[in-house]
Amino acid sequence: MAKKEDKSIFQILFKSLEIYVMNLRQFITYMAFPVLGQLVGILMTMGAVFAYSSSLPSLVTKFQILNNFSAMTITVLLIAVPGMFILTKAFWDYMIAYGALNSMAQAAVVTGKVYDFKAHNDVVYSKIVPYLAIWLLFGIYTAVASIPFFFLLWIFFIYFVLIFQVFTFEDSVSPIGCFKKSFDLIKGKFARTFILMAILFGLTYYLITMGISVIFDFTNLTKIMSGLFSSWCSNLPLDSINHIGSHFQITVTSVDIAKMMINQVAMLIAAGFTLPLRCIAWTLWYENLNDGFDNNIQKIEKKSKRISKKKPKTTSFKIESRKIDPEIIRRARMEDDEY
Protein backbone atom coordinates (compact mmCIF):
# COMPACT_ATOMS: atom_id res chain seq x y z
CA MET A 1 0.00 0.00 0.00
CA ALA A 2 1.35 3.41 -0.92
CA LYS A 3 2.27 5.71 1.90
CA LYS A 4 -0.38 8.27 2.78
CA GLU A 5 0.17 11.84 1.65
CA ASP A 6 1.99 13.95 4.21
CA LYS A 7 -0.40 16.69 5.35
CA SER A 8 0.63 20.23 6.12
CA ILE A 9 0.08 21.74 9.55
CA PHE A 10 -2.56 24.04 8.07
CA GLN A 11 -4.51 21.09 6.68
CA ILE A 12 -4.34 19.54 10.14
CA LEU A 13 -5.43 22.80 11.77
CA PHE A 14 -8.39 23.45 9.44
CA LYS A 15 -9.59 19.84 9.68
CA SER A 16 -9.35 20.06 13.48
CA LEU A 17 -11.38 23.27 13.54
CA GLU A 18 -13.97 21.69 11.25
CA ILE A 19 -14.41 18.64 13.50
CA TYR A 20 -14.45 20.79 16.64
CA VAL A 21 -17.05 23.26 15.34
CA MET A 22 -19.28 20.56 13.82
CA ASN A 23 -19.38 18.73 17.16
CA LEU A 24 -19.18 21.79 19.42
CA ARG A 25 -22.31 20.96 21.41
CA GLN A 26 -21.07 17.47 22.26
CA PHE A 27 -17.62 18.70 23.23
CA ILE A 28 -19.02 21.47 25.44
CA THR A 29 -21.30 18.94 27.13
CA TYR A 30 -18.41 16.56 27.72
CA MET A 31 -16.07 19.23 29.09
CA ALA A 32 -18.68 21.14 31.16
CA PHE A 33 -18.06 19.41 34.49
CA PRO A 34 -14.28 18.92 34.14
CA VAL A 35 -13.88 22.65 33.46
CA LEU A 36 -16.65 24.33 35.45
CA GLY A 37 -16.35 21.77 38.25
CA GLN A 38 -12.76 22.87 38.88
CA LEU A 39 -13.84 26.50 38.91
CA VAL A 40 -16.78 25.84 41.24
CA GLY A 41 -14.63 23.70 43.52
CA ILE A 42 -11.97 26.41 43.83
CA LEU A 43 -14.55 29.14 44.46
CA MET A 44 -16.40 27.03 47.03
CA THR A 45 -13.20 26.23 48.90
CA MET A 46 -11.92 29.80 48.87
CA GLY A 47 -15.34 31.19 49.77
CA ALA A 48 -15.81 28.80 52.70
CA VAL A 49 -12.34 29.48 54.10
CA PHE A 50 -12.77 33.25 53.65
CA ALA A 51 -16.16 33.23 55.37
CA TYR A 52 -14.75 31.19 58.24
CA SER A 53 -11.70 33.41 58.71
CA SER A 54 -13.87 36.53 58.64
CA SER A 55 -16.23 35.12 61.26
CA LEU A 56 -13.52 33.51 63.40
CA PRO A 57 -13.31 36.24 66.10
CA SER A 58 -17.03 36.06 66.85
CA LEU A 59 -17.05 32.25 66.60
CA VAL A 60 -14.22 31.96 69.12
CA THR A 61 -16.18 34.18 71.50
CA LYS A 62 -19.25 31.96 71.26
CA PHE A 63 -17.47 28.59 71.07
CA GLN A 64 -14.35 28.39 73.21
CA ILE A 65 -13.54 25.00 71.76
CA LEU A 66 -12.41 26.80 68.59
CA ASN A 67 -9.87 28.81 70.55
CA ASN A 68 -6.92 26.54 69.73
CA PHE A 69 -4.89 25.84 66.61
CA SER A 70 -5.90 22.17 66.23
CA ALA A 71 -9.62 22.94 66.34
CA MET A 72 -9.19 25.77 63.83
CA THR A 73 -7.25 23.52 61.46
CA ILE A 74 -9.79 20.69 61.66
CA THR A 75 -12.66 23.14 61.09
CA VAL A 76 -10.98 24.64 58.04
CA LEU A 77 -10.41 21.17 56.59
CA LEU A 78 -14.03 20.16 57.21
CA ILE A 79 -15.56 23.23 55.59
CA ALA A 80 -13.20 22.85 52.64
CA VAL A 81 -14.15 19.20 51.98
CA PRO A 82 -17.20 19.82 49.69
CA GLY A 83 -15.30 22.21 47.43
CA MET A 84 -12.20 20.02 47.38
CA PHE A 85 -14.28 16.97 46.52
CA ILE A 86 -15.83 18.72 43.50
CA LEU A 87 -12.42 20.10 42.47
CA THR A 88 -10.74 16.68 42.72
CA LYS A 89 -13.49 14.89 40.78
CA ALA A 90 -13.48 17.56 38.06
CA PHE A 91 -9.68 17.47 37.79
CA TRP A 92 -9.76 13.67 37.54
CA ASP A 93 -12.29 13.84 34.71
CA TYR A 94 -10.11 16.45 33.01
CA MET A 95 -7.15 14.06 33.16
CA ILE A 96 -9.24 11.23 31.71
CA ALA A 97 -10.33 13.56 28.89
CA TYR A 98 -6.73 13.79 27.65
CA GLY A 99 -7.02 10.17 26.51
CA ALA A 100 -10.75 9.86 25.80
CA LEU A 101 -10.82 12.89 23.48
CA ASN A 102 -8.25 11.23 21.22
CA SER A 103 -10.61 8.29 20.79
CA MET A 104 -13.49 10.71 20.11
CA ALA A 105 -11.37 12.52 17.53
CA GLN A 106 -10.63 9.27 15.70
CA ALA A 107 -14.32 8.32 15.74
CA ALA A 108 -15.28 11.79 14.47
CA VAL A 109 -12.80 11.51 11.59
CA VAL A 110 -14.15 8.16 10.46
CA THR A 111 -17.84 8.25 11.40
CA GLY A 112 -18.42 11.99 11.48
CA LYS A 113 -20.05 11.72 14.92
CA VAL A 114 -19.12 12.29 18.55
CA TYR A 115 -21.23 10.32 21.02
CA ASP A 116 -21.17 7.67 23.75
CA PHE A 117 -18.77 9.43 26.11
CA LYS A 118 -18.62 6.40 28.43
CA ALA A 119 -17.28 4.15 25.69
CA HIS A 120 -14.46 6.59 24.97
CA ASN A 121 -13.72 7.02 28.68
CA ASP A 122 -13.47 3.24 28.93
CA VAL A 123 -10.64 3.33 26.40
CA VAL A 124 -8.65 5.07 29.14
CA TYR A 125 -10.06 3.17 32.14
CA SER A 126 -9.19 -0.15 30.51
CA LYS A 127 -5.51 0.86 30.81
CA ILE A 128 -5.76 3.15 33.82
CA VAL A 129 -2.55 2.00 35.57
CA PRO A 130 -0.20 2.75 32.65
CA TYR A 131 -2.19 5.94 32.02
CA LEU A 132 -1.50 7.17 35.54
CA ALA A 133 2.13 6.13 35.11
CA ILE A 134 2.36 8.36 32.03
CA TRP A 135 0.93 11.28 34.02
CA LEU A 136 3.42 10.58 36.82
CA LEU A 137 6.37 10.54 34.41
CA PHE A 138 5.09 13.68 32.70
CA GLY A 139 4.68 15.39 36.08
CA ILE A 140 8.24 14.51 37.08
CA TYR A 141 9.52 15.79 33.75
CA THR A 142 7.70 19.14 34.03
CA ALA A 143 8.80 19.55 37.66
CA VAL A 144 12.45 19.01 36.74
CA ALA A 145 12.16 21.22 33.64
CA SER A 146 10.75 24.00 35.84
CA ILE A 147 14.03 24.20 37.74
CA PRO A 148 15.97 27.11 36.17
CA PHE A 149 19.14 25.03 35.82
CA PHE A 150 17.23 22.47 33.68
CA PHE A 151 15.16 24.99 31.76
CA LEU A 152 16.40 23.72 28.38
CA LEU A 153 14.56 20.45 29.03
CA TRP A 154 11.40 22.25 27.89
CA ILE A 155 12.67 21.64 24.34
CA PHE A 156 11.68 18.00 24.81
CA PHE A 157 8.11 19.09 25.51
CA ILE A 158 7.73 19.33 21.71
CA TYR A 159 8.99 15.78 21.31
CA PHE A 160 6.63 14.44 24.00
CA VAL A 161 3.47 16.15 22.75
CA LEU A 162 2.03 12.92 21.29
CA ILE A 163 2.40 10.67 24.35
CA PHE A 164 -1.36 10.52 24.97
CA GLN A 165 -2.08 9.71 21.32
CA VAL A 166 0.45 6.87 21.43
CA PHE A 167 -1.18 5.60 24.62
CA THR A 168 -4.67 5.72 23.10
CA PHE A 169 -3.94 4.04 19.79
CA GLU A 170 -1.16 1.57 20.61
CA ASP A 171 -2.00 -1.11 23.16
CA SER A 172 1.39 -2.78 23.43
CA VAL A 173 3.43 0.33 24.30
CA SER A 174 4.64 0.86 27.88
CA PRO A 175 4.47 4.27 29.60
CA ILE A 176 8.14 4.91 28.87
CA GLY A 177 7.58 3.54 25.38
CA CYS A 178 4.90 6.22 24.82
CA PHE A 179 7.53 8.91 25.39
CA LYS A 180 10.00 7.11 23.13
CA LYS A 181 7.44 6.58 20.34
CA SER A 182 6.35 10.24 20.53
CA PHE A 183 10.01 11.29 20.32
CA ASP A 184 10.57 9.06 17.28
CA LEU A 185 7.48 10.42 15.51
CA ILE A 186 8.41 14.07 16.09
CA LYS A 187 12.09 13.56 15.23
CA GLY A 188 12.70 15.29 11.92
CA LYS A 189 9.35 17.11 12.23
CA PHE A 190 10.32 19.36 15.15
CA ALA A 191 9.86 22.69 13.34
CA ARG A 192 6.41 21.89 11.95
CA THR A 193 5.29 20.45 15.29
CA PHE A 194 6.49 23.57 17.08
CA ILE A 195 4.61 25.83 14.64
CA LEU A 196 1.42 23.81 15.08
CA MET A 197 1.80 23.98 18.86
CA ALA A 198 2.43 27.74 18.75
CA ILE A 199 -0.70 28.31 16.64
CA LEU A 200 -2.84 26.17 18.96
CA PHE A 201 -1.37 27.88 22.02
CA GLY A 202 -1.96 31.36 20.62
CA LEU A 203 -5.50 30.50 19.57
CA THR A 204 -6.69 28.74 22.72
CA TYR A 205 -4.64 30.40 25.46
CA TYR A 206 -4.51 33.94 24.10
CA LEU A 207 -7.17 34.85 21.52
CA ILE A 208 -10.04 32.86 23.04
CA THR A 209 -9.00 33.94 26.54
CA MET A 210 -9.20 37.56 25.38
CA GLY A 211 -12.63 36.87 23.90
CA ILE A 212 -13.89 35.44 27.18
CA SER A 213 -12.50 38.46 29.04
CA VAL A 214 -14.50 40.70 26.69
CA ILE A 215 -17.62 38.66 27.50
CA PHE A 216 -16.87 39.09 31.21
CA ASP A 217 -16.66 42.85 30.73
CA PHE A 218 -19.82 43.01 28.61
CA THR A 219 -21.89 41.00 31.09
CA ASN A 220 -20.49 42.90 34.09
CA LEU A 221 -18.95 39.68 35.46
CA THR A 222 -15.55 41.35 35.65
CA LYS A 223 -16.84 43.92 38.13
CA ILE A 224 -18.59 41.28 40.23
CA MET A 225 -15.58 38.96 40.34
CA SER A 226 -13.21 41.87 40.99
CA GLY A 227 -15.16 42.87 44.09
CA LEU A 228 -15.36 39.25 45.29
CA PHE A 229 -11.69 38.46 44.74
CA SER A 230 -10.58 41.81 46.20
CA SER A 231 -12.43 40.99 49.41
CA TRP A 232 -10.70 37.64 49.62
CA CYS A 233 -7.29 39.17 48.91
CA SER A 234 -7.72 41.85 51.57
CA ASN A 235 -6.82 39.25 54.21
CA LEU A 236 -3.47 38.55 52.59
CA PRO A 237 -0.32 40.02 54.20
CA LEU A 238 0.12 42.56 51.40
CA ASP A 239 2.02 45.03 53.62
CA SER A 240 4.77 42.49 54.18
CA ILE A 241 4.83 41.58 50.51
CA ASN A 242 5.03 45.23 49.46
CA HIS A 243 7.78 45.88 51.99
CA ILE A 244 9.90 43.25 50.26
CA GLY A 245 8.82 44.46 46.83
CA SER A 246 9.72 48.05 47.66
CA HIS A 247 13.36 47.18 47.05
CA PHE A 248 12.40 46.46 43.45
CA GLN A 249 9.86 49.31 43.23
CA ILE A 250 6.99 46.83 43.05
CA THR A 251 3.66 47.39 44.76
CA VAL A 252 0.91 44.80 44.82
CA THR A 253 -2.69 45.63 45.74
CA SER A 254 -5.73 43.42 46.27
CA VAL A 255 -7.16 44.83 43.02
CA ASP A 256 -4.04 43.70 41.12
CA ILE A 257 -4.35 40.20 42.50
CA ALA A 258 -8.08 40.18 41.71
CA LYS A 259 -7.34 41.07 38.07
CA MET A 260 -4.83 38.24 37.86
CA MET A 261 -7.39 35.82 39.27
CA ILE A 262 -10.02 36.95 36.76
CA ASN A 263 -7.53 36.39 33.93
CA GLN A 264 -6.84 32.92 35.31
CA VAL A 265 -10.57 32.15 35.35
CA ALA A 266 -10.88 33.25 31.72
CA MET A 267 -7.84 31.15 30.77
CA LEU A 268 -9.18 28.11 32.63
CA ILE A 269 -12.46 28.31 30.73
CA ALA A 270 -10.76 28.96 27.38
CA ALA A 271 -8.14 26.23 27.75
CA GLY A 272 -10.60 23.74 29.18
CA PHE A 273 -13.32 24.02 26.58
CA THR A 274 -10.78 24.02 23.74
CA LEU A 275 -8.98 20.92 25.00
CA PRO A 276 -10.98 18.88 22.44
CA LEU A 277 -9.61 21.09 19.65
CA ARG A 278 -6.03 20.49 20.75
CA CYS A 279 -6.60 16.76 21.15
CA ILE A 280 -8.15 16.57 17.67
CA ALA A 281 -5.19 18.41 16.17
CA TRP A 282 -2.62 16.19 17.88
CA THR A 283 -4.60 13.06 16.98
CA LEU A 284 -4.59 14.07 13.31
CA TRP A 285 -0.90 14.94 13.57
CA TYR A 286 -0.21 11.52 15.09
CA GLU A 287 -2.15 9.84 12.28
CA ASN A 288 -0.17 11.84 9.72
CA LEU A 289 3.26 11.06 11.20
CA ASN A 290 2.42 7.45 12.03
CA ASP A 291 0.83 6.83 8.61
CA GLY A 292 -2.42 5.79 10.28
CA PHE A 293 -3.75 4.94 13.73
CA ASP A 294 -2.48 1.38 13.67
CA ASN A 295 0.99 0.13 12.71
CA ASN A 296 -0.62 -3.09 11.43
CA ILE A 297 -3.11 -1.29 9.19
CA GLN A 298 -1.42 -2.54 6.01
CA LYS A 299 -1.78 -6.18 7.04
CA ILE A 300 -5.39 -5.66 8.04
CA GLU A 301 -6.24 -3.96 4.74
CA LYS A 302 -4.60 -6.76 2.75
CA LYS A 303 -6.64 -9.28 4.73
CA SER A 304 -9.79 -7.26 4.11
CA LYS A 305 -9.11 -7.26 0.37
CA ARG A 306 -8.79 -11.06 0.35
CA ILE A 307 -12.06 -11.41 2.21
CA SER A 308 -13.80 -8.93 -0.11
CA LYS A 309 -13.03 -11.16 -3.08
CA LYS A 310 -15.05 -13.96 -1.49
CA LYS A 311 -17.91 -11.89 -0.07
CA PRO A 312 -20.13 -9.16 -1.58
CA LYS A 313 -18.82 -5.70 -0.85
CA THR A 314 -20.75 -3.96 1.94
CA THR A 315 -20.51 -0.52 3.43
CA SER A 316 -18.17 -0.50 6.42
CA PHE A 317 -16.17 1.88 8.52
CA LYS A 318 -12.39 1.73 8.26
CA ILE A 319 -12.32 2.42 11.96
CA GLU A 320 -13.16 -1.25 12.54
CA SER A 321 -9.64 -2.15 11.54
CA ARG A 322 -8.27 0.34 14.00
CA LYS A 323 -9.49 -1.35 17.17
CA ILE A 324 -12.32 1.03 18.06
CA ASP A 325 -14.84 -0.45 20.51
CA PRO A 326 -17.45 -2.43 18.48
CA GLU A 327 -20.20 -0.74 20.50
CA ILE A 328 -19.03 2.63 19.17
CA ILE A 329 -19.21 1.30 15.62
CA ARG A 330 -22.69 -0.10 16.20
CA ARG A 331 -23.97 3.24 17.45
CA ALA A 332 -22.26 5.06 14.61
CA ARG A 333 -24.38 3.11 12.14
CA MET A 334 -27.59 4.08 13.91
CA GLU A 335 -29.59 7.14 13.03
CA ASP A 336 -29.18 10.14 15.32
CA ASP A 337 -32.67 9.77 16.74
CA GLU A 338 -32.01 6.17 17.79
CA TYR A 339 -29.49 7.00 20.55
Side-chain angles (χ1 to χ4, degrees):
M1 185 181 71
K3 187 176 180 179
K4 294 176 66 176
E5 179 186 357
D6 188 23
K7 298 179 182 177
S8 71
I9 58 174
F10 295 104
Q11 288 177 299
I12 297 292
L13 183 62
F14 292 143
K15 183 63 177 178
S16 302
L17 286 169
E18 177 187 351
I19 294 173
Y20 179 69
V21 172
M22 293 298 293
N23 298 278
L24 186 60
R25 179 180 61 83
Q26 292 93 323
F27 286 130
I28 288 178
T29 300
Y30 180 73
M31 295 303 301
F33 179 74
V35 176
L36 299 181
Q38 291 186 66
L39 183 58
V40 170
I42 292 172
L43 294 178
M44 283 181 61
T45 303
M46 291 179 62
V49 173
F50 172 75
Y52 174 72
S53 62
S54 300
S55 306
L56 187 58
S58 60
L59 289 174
V60 170
T61 302
K62 294 179 180 180
F63 308 99
Q64 288 298 317
I65 192 174
L66 296 177
N67 195 20
N68 67 80
F69 181 76
S70 297
M72 291 179 186
T73 302
I74 293 173
T75 304
V76 169
L77 291 176
L78 288 175
I79 63 176
V81 164
M84 290 300 297
F85 176 80
I86 294 175
L87 173 62
T88 303
K89 179 61 171 65
F91 183 72
W92 172 262
D93 288 354
Y94 195 84
M95 288 177 58
I96 296 300
Y98 265 86
L101 284 168
N102 300 323
S103 179
M104 291 183 202
Q106 183 191 23
V109 169
V110 180
T111 69
K113 299 178 182 179
V114 174
Y115 48 87
D116 202 351
F117 300 146
K118 183 180 182 302
H120 294 291
N121 286 341
D122 287 343
V123 172
V124 178
Y125 282 117
S126 64
K127 302 184 289 181
I128 191 63
V129 174
Y131 187 69
L132 294 178
I134 290 174
W135 271 109
L136 177 61
L137 291 172
F138 185 71
I140 294 173
Y141 159 72
T142 53
V144 173
S146 298
I147 301 174
F149 184 76
F150 299 105
F151 188 75
L152 289 178
L153 287 176
W154 282 112
I155 294 175
F156 289 95
F157 184 82
I158 309 297
Y159 287 106
F160 297 151
V161 74
L162 297 179
I163 54 176
F164 293 107
Q165 282 68 35
V166 175
F167 165 84
T168 303
F169 302 120
E170 303 188 23
D171 293 333
S172 60
V173 182
S174 66
I176 294 178
C178 289
F179 285 83
K180 184 178 183 301
K181 178 61 182 289
S182 177
F183 184 91
D184 291 340
L185 289 173
I186 302 299
K187 186 169 58 179
K189 305 292 189 301
F190 181 90
R192 289 201 292 163
T193 304
F194 176 78
I195 293 173
L196 179 59
M197 178 180 289
I199 294 173
L200 289 171
F201 182 88
L203 177 63
T204 61
Y205 283 89
Y206 183 70
L207 291 179
I208 296 181
T209 298
M210 287 181 61
I212 292 177
S213 296
V214 171
I215 294 175
F216 283 172
D217 293 339
F218 181 76
T219 57
N220 212 34
L221 280 174
T222 299
K223 184 177 180 180
I224 296 173
M225 288 190 292
S226 180
L228 180 64
F229 293 155
S230 295
S231 298
W232 291 351
C233 297
S234 62
N235 289 335
L236 296 175
L238 295 180
D239 292 337
S240 300
I241 295 174
N242 288 327
H243 177 71
I244 298 174
S246 62
H247 300 290
F248 305 96
Q249 297 182 342
I250 297 176
T251 302
V252 179
T253 66
S254 60
V255 175
D256 294 330
I257 298 177
K259 290 180 179 179
M260 292 174 58
M261 294 176 68
I262 293 171
N263 289 334
Q264 289 301 310
V265 170
M267 184 176 294
L268 172 64
I269 294 173
F273 281 109
T274 57
L275 176 62
L277 173 61
R278 297 193 297 277
C279 286
I280 293 168
W282 294 126
T283 295
L284 295 178
W285 191 234
Y286 165 87
E287 181 193 20
N288 181 61
L289 299 183
N290 194 56
D291 198 22
F293 291 110
D294 190 339
N295 288 329
N296 297 319
I297 191 67
Q298 295 184 17
K299 295 180 181 179
I300 295 172
E301 289 187 349
K302 288 180 180 178
K303 182 177 179 181
S304 299
K305 289 179 180 178
R306 290 197 299 269
I307 295 174
S308 64
K309 292 179 180 179
K310 301 177 181 179
K311 296 182 179 181
K313 186 175 181 181
T314 59
T315 302
S316 63
F317 291 101
K318 292 181 180 179
I319 198 170
E320 291 179 344
S321 67
R322 293 172 180 172
K323 302 181 181 179
I324 285 292
D325 193 317
E327 178 64 14
I328 298 177
I329 300 302
R330 185 185 70 79
R331 298 194 183 194
R333 291 192 175 115
M334 298 167 63
E335 296 296 332
D336 288 344
D337 57 0
E338 292 184 40
Y339 55 80

